[in-house]
Amino acid sequence: MRWSLSLRVTLAIAVALTGGMRGVESRGDDGDWAEIHESGGFIFRSERSFPEWRQVADELQTLRDDIASELGIRTLGGEGEPRIQINLFKSHRTYARHLASRAPAGASRPACFVQGPDLGRVYVVHHEDWKTNVRHEVTHALLHQSLPFIPLWLDEGLAVYFEAPRETRAQKHPYLSTVRWQVRFGWRPNLIDLESREDLSDMRMADYRQSWGWVEFLLHHSDESNQLLRRYLAEIESDTPPGPLSSYMKDSMPDSGSAFVRHFKSPRRY
Ligand SMILES: [Zn+2]
C-alpha cells in the first residue's frame, strides 16, 4: 500500500510484544542479515545487498534535523542517546516470519515501528518505494523517542507529512491535490471526529489524508498556526498534557475549519 501503517504501542505493550527481544535481537543470533551498518544513531540490518546505506543514513539524519527544526522539538540520536534500528527485508515472506513471534500485529502490514525498551525498531520490506516507508516509520520512531505521548491522528499526520522526500514535502505531496480538490467540492474537515480515533484499526485512508491536511495547514498557513503547533508539541514534550488540539486552539483560532478550507483553496504561497 502507498501508505504504511505503524504499530503505535506503548512501552509496556512493546515490552510484552517483544519479550526477550533484546537477547533474541542481538547481532548475529537472529535473521539472515547480509549487511549490518551503523551511523549517526541509526543501525541498519539488511537481508539484501545494501550498497546505498550511507546515502540512506545521511537522508535520515537530515530528516531528523528537519523534524527538530520544523516542529521545534529536540530529536535524539546523539552520542549515548537512544538509537533507531532499521530492519530491511528482502520479501514480505521473510518480514512476516521475523515479526510473527516478535510483533505479530505488524506481520500483515507493509511496514511497522515498535518502540522497545532499548531501541526504536523499524521493519520494512524492500520494494520500489521502500524509502517512503522508512521515512514514515522513522518519523514515528523519532517522535516517540522525543515525546512522552502524542495523539494518534497527529502521530500519523506528521509521519505522512515527513514520509515525502524533502524536495516534494511541501509543494508536491501526493495528498495535496486530493485535499485541494475535496475542499473545492465542499468537503469540510472535522478535527474532533479525527481526535476520537483511538486505535490504528480505526484509521481509514481518509483519516490519514485529513491528518496530513491539519499538519500541512498548521505548519504553513500562517505564523500564528505554525507557532500554535509548536506550542502544542512543546507542552507535550515537557509532559504537560495540553488536551485535544481542537480545544487547545479554540481561543487563538476559533474558526480553524474555515481557515483550513481557505488554506487549501488558495494558491500555494511556498
Ligand atoms: Zn504511521
Side-chain angles (χ1 to χ4, degrees):
M1 285 192 283
R2 164 68 185 75
W3 44 283
S4 66
L5 291 168
S6 284
L7 286 176
R8 288 181 73 257
V9 287
T10 63
L11 189 63
I13 297 171
V15 172
L17 275 173
T18 60
M21 194 152 121
R22 266 180 286 190
V24 175
E25 289 280 356
S26 63
R27 179 173 177 157
D29 67 359
D30 81 315
D32 188 15
W33 307 114
E35 297 190 25
I36 298 177
H37 304 284
E38 181 165 0
S39 176
F42 296 103
I43 303 162
F44 298 95
R45 309 196 302 179
S46 176
E47 286 187 337
R48 67 164 178 91
S49 161
F50 192 23
E52 72 275 42
W53 76 271
R54 280 189 185 281
Q55 183 203 335
V56 175
D58 289 347
E59 277 182 35
L60 293 179
Q61 286 172 46
T62 301
L63 174 66
R64 185 172 60 209
D65 294 344
D66 287 351
I67 289 172
S69 62
E70 291 196 40
L71 304 182
I73 61 174
R74 182 175 176 275
T75 49
L76 307 181
E79 195 66 34
E81 292 183 331
R83 296 169 297 165
I84 295 171
Q85 181 190 73
I86 295 152
N87 299 282
L88 180 58
F89 296 86
K90 61 188 174 190
S91 70
H92 196 271
R93 184 178 57 80
T94 59
Y95 163 90
R97 191 173 62 202
H98 189 91
L99 283 177
S101 60
R102 296 169 173 84
S108 60
R109 302 183 189 281
C112 70
F113 154 66
V114 176
Q115 181 63 55
D118 53 345
L119 289 170
R121 290 186 170 84
V122 166
Y123 302 92
V124 180
V125 179
H126 183 253
H127 63 98
E128 195 182 346
D129 198 24
W130 69 275
K131 285 187 188 173
T132 297
N133 291 135
V134 168
R135 286 187 293 264
H136 183 108
E137 304 302 340
V138 166
T139 298
H140 283 311
L142 289 165
L143 292 172
H144 285 248
Q145 277 182 346
S146 297
L147 304 175
F149 57 90
I150 182 168
L152 175 60
W153 75 267
L154 184 55
D155 194 14
E156 292 304 337
L158 288 168
V160 173
Y161 180 83
F162 285 105
E163 76 179 23
R166 196 181 201 204
E167 56 278 11
T168 62
R169 202 178 288 153
Q171 290 275 21
K172 296 177 185 165
H173 194 284
Y175 283 167
L176 178 60
S177 60
T178 306
V179 174
R180 297 194 75 182
W181 180 87
Q182 284 180 311
V183 297
R184 219 171 290 153
F185 285 89
W187 174 82
R188 295 295 176 259
N190 186 339
L191 184 55
I192 293 173
D193 179 55
L194 202 55
E195 288 170 336
S196 72
R197 308 282 185 271
E198 292 181 348
D199 190 89
L200 267 184
S201 59
D202 300 331
M203 292 282 289
R204 300 159 299 173
M205 178 74 92
D207 297 329
Y208 280 85
R209 202 162 47 232
Q210 186 184 167
S211 298
W212 169 85
W214 281 106
V215 166
E216 209 276 349
F217 160 72
L218 290 163
L219 284 174
H220 299 292
H221 178 62
S222 64
D223 288 344
E224 289 73 22
S225 66
N226 185 287
Q227 289 303 318
L228 187 141
L229 179 62
R230 284 168 167 260
R231 280 200 307 278
Y232 188 75
L233 290 168
E235 292 199 17
I236 292 176
E237 190 176 25
S238 63
D239 213 354
T240 312
L245 184 70
S246 57
S247 307
Y248 187 81
M249 64 183 175
K250 235 175 196 163
D251 292 337
S252 53
M253 201 182 289
D255 205 359
S256 56
S258 300
F260 179 109
V261 169
R262 281 200 307 281
H263 174 74
F264 283 106
K265 274 187 175 173
S266 65
R268 300 276 97 182
R269 293 163 298 165
Y270 48 85

